[in-house]
């Protein structure tokens, strides 16, 4: 482990220098880095705020529509099992998010974790994909609000003329002023402050939850009154078999997307080590329970084959003589969409701010308002772009692109947990301004090294004998020979363990891709499919066995803000999470991947011509983690 690694001296012209840029990692935010950063967000959020953000961002209008399509095409009465299995799959990612959010409580969510654990190149792609996800997602949600609002006012064309949708035949464009206005209103709320915007989202979420409770209670009453006719079907509980139920689980999995918004507010939580894991866990649990209870009621009121795929809940109540219930359900759908819209726009300014902090985006996105402590420039930029898209474009055909950002983030968070446990970063980047302190510290410890080797430099006899810079596990009270023997043997074993763990994590990712790709592409010949599936499964199983057998890194106990939530069942849980998310990524439509690839290529060009040249790690000096505090002390910084 070297004392100094100056990324600028490696040279951008060489291929190795370029690769070094892609894998350079930043430091977990600590007292030192936060003192150097004046752009801090307000710590205002408690557990109720985080639950409101998580539930509001997760439960969208999809539950009011999705249950009909999935029941008719995939699950039948087993719809409840679909939501349960999807909830368990989402919980795997939630566990990984909970540990990283409590250890690295800073803005940026999956982008931030990837930058710390994997490297700058992957972090940039994750952040760039998340920007696409939240922009398209917010615009798509906004376009869905105006039709539901029109229903509340009496019909499809009941909105005022200046808010109603207008079609321009010559341009073949359907503009939606209502969607654009709603995005701007939500953006204004988000600029007022995180506590105020969380309160507004909490109110909208409460109305939505009450609407869902009405569906559950009133639907349960009707079910007991009519004898649950939906379950008395001749095809049984699994009319499409277990395969159909699993396909339905993959579909409804995306109804759980949104809990990661809680992680994006990590820097604004009052007690992130406790509140973030609880906020993520409770919001996901509440959503899963509501989804399952609603599905139990709806598939019991109407046989699955008779459900309306567009308005399954309203039609189920109407068929039992409760047409007026459609108004309550529509109110729930509108408030769900508004809450989801806030949850879609809220994380993106924080990701833009985090990327600007790291120098990968212009400093324009970095400014934080002194009074509201909100990244106003980033919030306004996000709202304006989303408003323009919602006004001009029907982004429903682009909605699949939202899934790519989410699944990519889920995958990299699981990989980051494995890296944190087995090969956490052992070197920390320090700014070039500390060069003098680092040189002084190095010189002092070189003198200590000469003392160990038998030389006698001028040195006060009362000074303690410290280990060599970059070398660990040398006992101070041992003889010189014992020190050197312990140093050589322990360092060699530790280096081998880290190398084995690092290669194993990489091969696990390769194995997950091979297995899911071969299993999902039926146009392969049987021989090729079975060969690739076997090789991928062998890599996954071997990786699981190896990581289970070797020791986890001792530094995992001190990584980041230690003492928070610890993800259980490592390495099995993160590996399962990687496998599930890669499978869902592979099964997205080809057209979706083509569009996303174009967006990612644009991101690569921006990184090449701007990001890598302005990165805060451009001139960073890497030193062993164990010596960082001492270097800051010698520089005069107050700990």
């Amino acid at each position: 482990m070297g004392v100094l690694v100056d990324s600028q001296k490696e040279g951008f012209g060489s291929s190795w220098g370029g690769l070094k840029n892609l894998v350079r990692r930043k430091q977990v935010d600590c007292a030192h880095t936060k003192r150097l950063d004046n752009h801090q967000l307000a710590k205002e959020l408690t557990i109720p705020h985080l639950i409101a953000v998580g539930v509001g961002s997760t439960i969208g209008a999809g539950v009011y529509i999705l249950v009909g399509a999935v029941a008719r095409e995939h699950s039948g009465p087993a719809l409840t099992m679909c939501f349960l299995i999807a909830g368990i799959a989402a919980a795997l990612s939630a566990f990984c998010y909970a540990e990283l959010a409590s250890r690295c409580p800073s803005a940026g969510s999956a982008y931030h974790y990837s930058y710390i654990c994997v490297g700058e190149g992957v972090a940039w792609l994750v952040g760039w994909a998340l920007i696409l996800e939240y922009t398209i997602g917010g615009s798509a949600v906004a376009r869905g609000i105006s039709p539901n609002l029109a229903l509340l006012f009496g019909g499809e064309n009941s909105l005022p003329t200046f808010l109603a949708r207008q079609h321009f035949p010559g341009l073949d464009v359907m503009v939606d002023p209502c969607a654009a206005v709603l995005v701007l209103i939500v953006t204004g709320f988000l600029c007022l402050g995180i506590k105020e915007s969380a309160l507004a989202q909490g109110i909208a979420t409460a109305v939505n939850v009450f609407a869902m409770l009405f569906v559950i209670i009133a639907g349960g009453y009707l079910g007991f009154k009519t004898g649950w006719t939906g379950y008395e079907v001749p095809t049984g509980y699994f009319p499409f078999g277990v395969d159909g139920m699993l396909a339905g689980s993959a579909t409804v999995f995306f109804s759980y997307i949104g809990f990661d918004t809680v992680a994006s507010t990590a820097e604004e939580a009052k007690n992130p080590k406790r509140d973030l894991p609880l906020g993520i866990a409770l919001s996901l649990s509440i959503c899963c329970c509501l989804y399952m209870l609603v599905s139990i009621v709806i598939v019991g009121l109407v046989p699955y084959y008779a459900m309306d795929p567009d308005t399954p809940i309203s039609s189920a109540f109407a068929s039992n003589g409760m047409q007026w219930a459609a108004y309550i359900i529509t109110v729930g759908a509108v408030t769900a969409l508004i809450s989801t819209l806030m949850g879609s726009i809220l994380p993106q300014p924080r990701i833009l701010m985090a990327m600007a902090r790291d120098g990968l985006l212009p400093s324009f996105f970095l400014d934080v308002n002194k009074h509201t402590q909100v990244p106003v420039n980033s919030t306004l930029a996000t709202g304006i772009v989303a408003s323009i898209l919602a006004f001009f474009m029907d982004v429903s055909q682009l909605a699949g692109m939202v899934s790519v950002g989410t699944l990519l983030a889920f995958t990299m968070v699981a990989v980051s947990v494995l890296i944190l446990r087995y090969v956490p970063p052992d070197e920390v980047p320090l700014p070039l301004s500390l060069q003098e302190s680092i040189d002084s510290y190095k010189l002092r410890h070189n003198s200590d090294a000469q003392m160990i080797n038998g030389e006698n430099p001028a040195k006060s006899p009362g000074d303690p004998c410290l280990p060599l810079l970059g070398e660990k596990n040398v006992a101070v009270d041992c003889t010189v020979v014992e020190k050197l023997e312990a140093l050589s043997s322990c360092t060699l074993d530790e280096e081998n363990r880290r190398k084995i763990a690092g290669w194993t994590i990489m091969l696990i990712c390769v194995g997950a891709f091979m297995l899911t790709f071969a299993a999902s592409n039926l146009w392969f010949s049987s021989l090729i499919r079975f060969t690739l599936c076997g090789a991928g499964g062998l890599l996954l199983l071997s990786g699981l066995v190896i990581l289970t057998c070797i020791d986890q890194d001792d530094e995992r106990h001190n990584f980041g803000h230690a003492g928070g939530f610890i993800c259980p069942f490592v390495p099995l849980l993160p590996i399962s999470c990687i496998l599930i998310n890669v499978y869902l990524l592979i099964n997205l439509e080809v057209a979706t991947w083509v569009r996303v690839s174009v967006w990612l290529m644009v991101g690569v060009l921006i990184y090449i011509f701007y990001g890598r040249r302005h990165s805060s790690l451009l001139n960073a000096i890497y030193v062993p983690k164990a010596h960082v505090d001492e270097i800051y002390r010698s520089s005069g910084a107050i700990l």
Side-chain angles (χ1 to χ4, degrees):
M1 185 189 307
V3 177
L4 304 180
V5 178
D6 190 337
S7 60
Q8 192 176 34
K9 293 178 181 177
E10 295 289 344
F12 283 103
S14 65
S15 59
W16 175 240
L19 291 176
K20 290 283 285 185
N21 296 337
L22 295 177
V23 298
R24 57 190 177 191
R25 300 185 283 192
K26 71 174 184 178
Q27 181 183 3
V28 179
D29 289 338
C30 62
H32 310 303
T33 56
K34 290 194 174 184
R35 186 176 299 108
L36 299 174
D37 183 10
N38 296 320
H39 305 278
Q40 294 301 308
L41 303 177
K43 287 189 171 294
E44 295 284 354
L45 299 184
T46 59
I47 292 178
H49 293 120
L50 295 174
I51 293 175
V53 170
V55 175
S57 302
T58 304
I59 298 182
V63 67
Y64 295 96
I65 302 171
L66 200 62
V67 291
V70 173
R72 283 174 62 96
E73 300 172 10
H74 298 293
S75 68
L79 179 64
T80 307
M81 297 300 297
C82 291
F83 278 109
L84 176 61
I85 294 171
I88 293 172
L92 300 182
S93 294
F95 279 122
C96 298
Y97 263 99
E99 174 164 354
L100 290 172
S102 62
R103 285 181 178 270
C104 315
S106 184
S109 186
Y111 157 79
H112 181 63
Y113 313 144
S114 300
Y115 207 162
I116 292 171
C117 296
V118 184
E120 185 174 283
V122 171
W124 169 265
L125 290 178
V126 170
W128 193 245
L130 287 175
I131 290 173
L132 175 69
E133 172 197 341
Y134 293 126
T135 303
I136 299 295
S139 302
V141 169
R143 295 279 294 202
I145 295 178
S146 52
N148 286 279
L149 274 178
L151 290 177
L152 285 179
F153 287 100
E156 195 173 316
N157 301 312
S158 299
L159 288 176
T161 305
F162 69 94
L163 290 178
R165 288 184 175 181
Q166 303 290 336
H167 183 256
F168 294 93
L171 300 176
D172 195 23
V173 172
M174 176 76 76
V175 298
D176 193 338
C178 181
V181 170
L182 285 170
V183 171
L184 294 177
I185 291 173
V186 166
T187 302
F189 269 111
L190 294 177
C191 289
L192 294 177
I194 184 62
K195 192 172 183 180
E196 291 75 11
S197 56
L199 178 61
Q201 189 169 19
I203 294 172
T205 301
V207 176
N208 179 29
V209 169
F210 281 128
M212 296 184 73
L213 290 176
F214 167 78
V215 171
I216 294 167
I217 295 171
Y221 168 76
L222 288 176
F224 283 110
K225 184 178 178 181
T226 59
W228 299 103
T229 57
Y231 291 110
E232 297 176 357
V233 290
T235 52
Y237 193 69
F238 297 98
F240 299 94
V242 176
D243 291 340
M245 182 192 67
L246 294 177
S249 300
T251 302
V252 302
F253 173 84
F254 296 102
S255 62
Y256 287 98
I257 290 176
F259 69 84
D260 54 317
T261 304
V262 177
S264 70
T265 63
E267 194 171 313
E268 293 150 295
K270 287 186 176 180
N271 186 358
K273 288 196 291 186
R274 181 199 66 184
D275 295 352
L276 287 173
L278 285 175
I280 292 172
L282 291 175
S283 60
L284 187 62
S285 300
I286 291 171
C287 294
C288 186
C289 290
L290 289 173
Y291 285 155
M292 291 178 65
L293 289 172
V294 168
S295 61
I296 288 173
V297 169
I298 297 306
V299 296
L301 290 178
V302 180
Y304 71 92
Y305 50 80
M307 294 180 70
D308 188 330
D310 297 321
T311 57
I313 299 180
S314 300
S315 60
F317 279 90
S319 65
N320 286 276
M322 293 180 63
Q323 288 85 351
W324 55 269
Y327 289 98
I328 297 177
I329 295 165
T330 304
V331 168
V334 169
T335 54
L337 282 168
I338 293 174
S339 181
T340 305
L341 176 59
M342 296 187 72
S344 297
I345 297 178
L346 175 67
Q348 182 168 323
R350 283 136 185 88
I351 292 174
L352 291 172
M353 186 190 71
M355 297 176 78
R357 274 180 180 172
D358 300 325
L360 303 184
L361 287 177
S363 58
F364 170 82
F365 298 107
L366 186 57
D367 291 339
V368 174
N369 185 276
K370 293 181 180 179
H371 301 291
T372 63
Q373 290 184 275
V374 168
V376 175
N377 288 351
S378 299
T379 304
L380 290 175
T382 299
I384 291 171
V385 173
S387 177
I388 293 172
L389 287 176
F391 182 77
F392 285 107
M393 291 181 61
D394 182 6
V395 293
S396 59
Q397 59 181 346
L398 306 179
M401 299 171 71
V402 174
S403 304
V404 175
T406 301
L407 294 174
L408 182 61
F410 284 7
T411 303
M412 294 317 304
V413 166
V415 172
S416 297
V417 169
L418 290 177
I419 292 174
L420 184 157
R421 293 299 189 89
Y422 291 95
V423 280
D426 53 1
E427 290 182 334
V428 173
L430 297 184
L432 193 61
S433 59
L434 295 176
Q435 177 75 66
E436 185 177 345
S437 300
I438 294 171
D439 290 341
S440 173
Y441 189 76
K442 178 184 177 184
L443 181 63
R444 183 167 68 254
H445 282 76
N446 280 342
S447 299
D448 295 337
Q450 293 174 5
M451 192 74 171
I452 292 178
N453 288 320
E455 301 177 18
N456 189 21
K459 186 174 186 296
S460 172
D463 289 342
C465 183
L466 297 176
L468 289 171
L469 188 61
E471 298 174 347
K472 301 179 287 187
N473 301 328
V474 183
V476 176
D477 58 345
C478 297
T479 65
V480 174
V481 176
E482 288 173 337
K483 288 178 183 177
L484 296 176
E485 289 177 351
L487 177 64
S488 61
S489 62
C490 291
T491 303
L492 181 62
D493 292 341
E494 177 63 12
E495 287 181 357
N496 286 336
R497 188 202 62 77
R498 287 177 65 90
K499 287 181 180 178
I500 292 172
W503 280 103
T504 301
I505 293 171
M506 188 189 73
L507 292 176
I508 285 171
C509 297
V510 173
F513 176 79
M514 290 175 59
L515 177 60
T516 55
F517 184 76
S520 303
N521 288 280
L522 302 179
W523 48 270
F524 279 150
S525 66
S526 298
L527 178 61
I528 295 177
R529 285 189 67 205
F530 290 140
T531 302
L532 289 176
C533 285
L538 183 62
L539 286 176
L540 276 175
L541 183 60
S542 301
L544 175 61
V545 171
I546 292 172
L547 291 183
T548 303
C549 293
I550 66 176
D551 293 329
Q552 296 184 24
D553 198 292
D554 290 336
E555 277 299 309
R556 73 187 188 278
H557 300 298
N558 305 316
F559 184 86
H561 298 239
F565 177 80
I566 299 297
C567 180
F569 307 116
V570 175
L572 176 61
L573 189 148
I575 291 176
S576 302
C577 181
I578 292 171
L579 184 61
I580 291 170
N581 292 314
V582 171
Y583 172 78
L584 293 173
L585 276 170
I586 292 293
N587 282 277
L588 293 175
E589 295 180 356
V590 175
T592 296
W593 275 111
V594 172
R595 298 187 187 106
V596 170
S597 299
V598 173
W599 175 257
L600 293 180
M601 286 303 299
V602 172
V604 169
L605 292 176
I606 293 175
Y607 174 75
I608 291 174
F609 291 105
Y610 183 89
R612 73 179 181 89
R613 297 177 183 273
H614 295 82
S615 172
S616 60
L617 300 183
L618 182 63
N619 298 310
I621 304 167
Y622 284 79
V623 301
K625 183 180 176 182
H627 305 287
V628 172
D629 288 346
E630 182 62 30
I631 291 173
Y632 272 102
R633 284 195 195 94
S634 65
S635 71
I638 302 173
L639 292 174

